[in-house]
Amino acid sequence: MKALVEHARSFRYRADFASDEYRKLAEGQFPEALFITCSDSRVIPAHITGARPGEIFELRNAGNIVPPHGMHLVSGEAATIEYALEVLGVRDVVVCGHSHCGAMGALESGADLSTLPGVSAWLELARPGLVPEITGGCQDPSLRGMAQLNVRNQLSALRDYPAARRRLEEGGLRLHGWFYQVDTGELWELDEDGRFREHPC
């Protein structure tokens, strides 16, 4: 923690706050995309995408889950999606799952989450759509198949949000599914045929 605090304290001296880049940030934000991903500490959107401050609007939670629209009266996820689409006007939304995901692993193994009632209730949102991949004996520690299915499911849930549905119908929104392999840096993208592929640089 000491190193994190020291870096935070010295950030204003390491970054070029005299540049136009940072002055423009004070005028407002105009991100290109909403990036929905897991809260896992190994997945850092700006590192993966090379995004600069102000370029991506982030939504992070356990398992990169998009709650079904209208399910909760109060939801940080719903508020973030609504704000990104209706106020910021982002034209692209990325749902990015990742390998070795603890949330996916808990669902796959049937882990006892009785001491984690909040986590258990949250993951139940994703469980029904993942039944085809839940075997209780997955041989792939990366959980690629499960994480990729989860990305497809969350994109489907996103399409049910009124703002997303309207923007998609108008042609003003593009949805993207990504899978990030944490131990190799490979990025798999969901193609139009519904399959994930690693595209060449």
Side-chain angles (χ1 to χ4, degrees), residues 18-41:
S19 70
D20 284 342
E21 176 185 10
Y22 284 95
R23 280 198 292 269
K24 288 178 180 176
L25 291 177
E27 299 171 4
Q29 58 172 325
F30 308 95
E32 298 177 21
L34 168 61
F35 199 96
I36 302 173
T37 194
C38 189
S39 48
D40 192 298
S41 62

Side-chain angles (χ1 to χ4, degrees), residues 164-172:
R165 186 167 56 246
R166 189 188 72 252
R167 295 276 306 281
L168 285 166
E169 290 172 352
E170 296 170 351

Side-chain angles (χ1 to χ4, degrees), residues 129-145:
L130 294 174
V131 168
E133 286 286 334
I134 297 176
T135 64
C138 181
Q139 299 301 309
D140 178 8
S142 76
L143 299 166
R144 180 184 297 171

Side-chain angles (χ1 to χ4, degrees), residues 24-77:
K24 288 178 180 176
L25 291 177
E27 299 171 4
Q29 58 172 325
F30 308 95
E32 298 177 21
L34 168 61
F35 199 96
I36 302 173
T37 194
C38 189
S39 48
D40 192 298
S41 62
R42 298 166 294 179
V43 181
I44 305 175
H47 282 194
I48 296 170
T49 64
R52 299 286 301 160
E55 291 183 343
I56 56 175
F57 197 61
E58 294 183 25
L59 170 55
R60 303 185 67 170
N61 62 47
N64 43 271
I65 293 171
V66 176
H69 178 262
M71 185 171 203
H72 303 289
L73 294 177
V74 178
S75 163
E77 287 75 20

